[in-house]
Amino acid sequence: MCSGLSALGCKAERARKRRKTLTQFTDFTLLPALQKKLAMANFITPTPVQAGAIPPALDGRDVLATAQTGTGKTLSFLIPIIEGLQKTANAQPQNQGHKQGPQGRGKSPFALILLPTRELAMQVEQAYRNLALDPSLQAALVVGGLSEGPQLQAIRRGARIIVATPGRLEDFLRRKLVQLDQVQILVLDEVDRMLDMGFKPAIKRIVAALPAQHQTLCYSATLESPVTEVVRDYLKNPARIEIGSVLKPAENVRLQTFEVATDKKMPLLEHLLRSEAGSFLVFVRTKHGADRVAKKLSSSGWNATRIHGDRTQAQRSAALKSFSQGQHRVLVATDVAARGIDVAHIAHVVNYDMPKMAEDFVHRVGRTGRASKSGVASTFQAPEEKGDLRRIERALKITMERFRVKVPLTA
């Protein structure tokens, strides 16, 4: 059947054909209890990144996956972790087989998941709790901006999974409050964003605390130079999963741009809110700008909230919750804060301020049109920003539909 192919090529061809037949989660070789959990959560058909990444991860291979946001990455690494953790727990007699944690209390972590923001970490930890098969196999959330007491208690009670941002975890390591020398699976999620935020030295020190032999699952929106260095240093012969173009907005998002004077942006935004249904995620450049836009919208009667780096974690969590549950129709956000936004069914993304880079444009626009749903992305372009808009279009090989704002705006 594989005539003309080497043995390695023949094996790869068989693996490729097997992946093509994985059209439902029931096609995966998983524990019956996990299959039942997935069915109860209404996970029937895997997304392309799940179909591509889960089989090699279950086989113990390193995985390098590049995909746009909203493609189901979280489930693609949680399923192999839960499967492996449960099998390990089933094979070990109680209180045996795992090294004790700090101060001799609890067991060492089986898996470590690193993410760029606390909001993403909180969402992943919640997703794990929803799918976990054994309530005793707990996860510890290790992030900045929250009290460290409960985080340390979870570690000392024997959390088998740590979901963390690099800064707080590195602090715990430095203070010898956590040990990672028994970790079997490392996940680097949105590694490009972690590098953008300056976490490369922290990641290096964290990985140095892991055993030499461990599995690494790496996810990134791009494969630019800093990411390729991480791949070279931390992954061994990874299975390569590439879903679509990672430097191009999803095809199911309608892209449109409005040439508009700066003092007409707010009337244009209100015009779009009157004209179109659904939730709006509005991106602005600065924290002050986010406050100003949200307050103006609220004073005009729109249900608007905001999220940016100067707001407390409690305020950011409350804003995300109220937006995701529909209590606020509009969420105004800065780029850094918005890295943690993973809300389903955002109908419209508005670039109130022009993004600085093409990658930022893709990241913003990727908040809508998720999971194959359609979405709209509108970019407000001041007359003097024509060149900036063209540079983004050239970099992404796209052409946006153009409109010129008529004054006065009508509903």
Side-chain angles (χ1 to χ4, degrees), residues 312-327:
T312 67
Q313 182 58 45
Q315 289 172 326
R316 291 163 71 166
S317 297
L320 277 174
K321 183 177 180 181
S322 66
F323 180 61
S324 64
Q325 294 180 346
Q327 296 165 1

Side-chain angles (χ1 to χ4, degrees), residues 105-176:
R105 287 173 283 182
K107 295 179 179 179
S108 296
F110 170 85
L112 169 63
I113 304 171
L114 287 181
L115 305 106
T117 68
R118 52 182 168 263
E119 285 85 7
L120 277 174
M122 291 165 70
Q123 291 164 10
V124 168
E125 191 264 345
Q126 179 63 55
Y128 170 74
R129 278 193 279 131
N130 292 341
L131 281 178
L133 303 181
D134 184 342
S136 70
L137 302 176
Q138 296 183 353
L141 182 68
V142 176
V143 298
L146 297 177
S147 172
E148 68 175 40
Q151 301 178 32
L152 290 172
Q153 289 174 13
I155 292 170
R156 289 166 180 159
R157 283 196 302 264
R160 303 308 316 282
I161 296 175
I162 291 181
V163 184
T165 50
R168 174 59 64 88
L169 181 61
E170 185 187 28
D171 177 57
F172 282 6
L173 273 175
R174 180 181 55 80
R175 293 157 59 193
K176 302 186 186 307

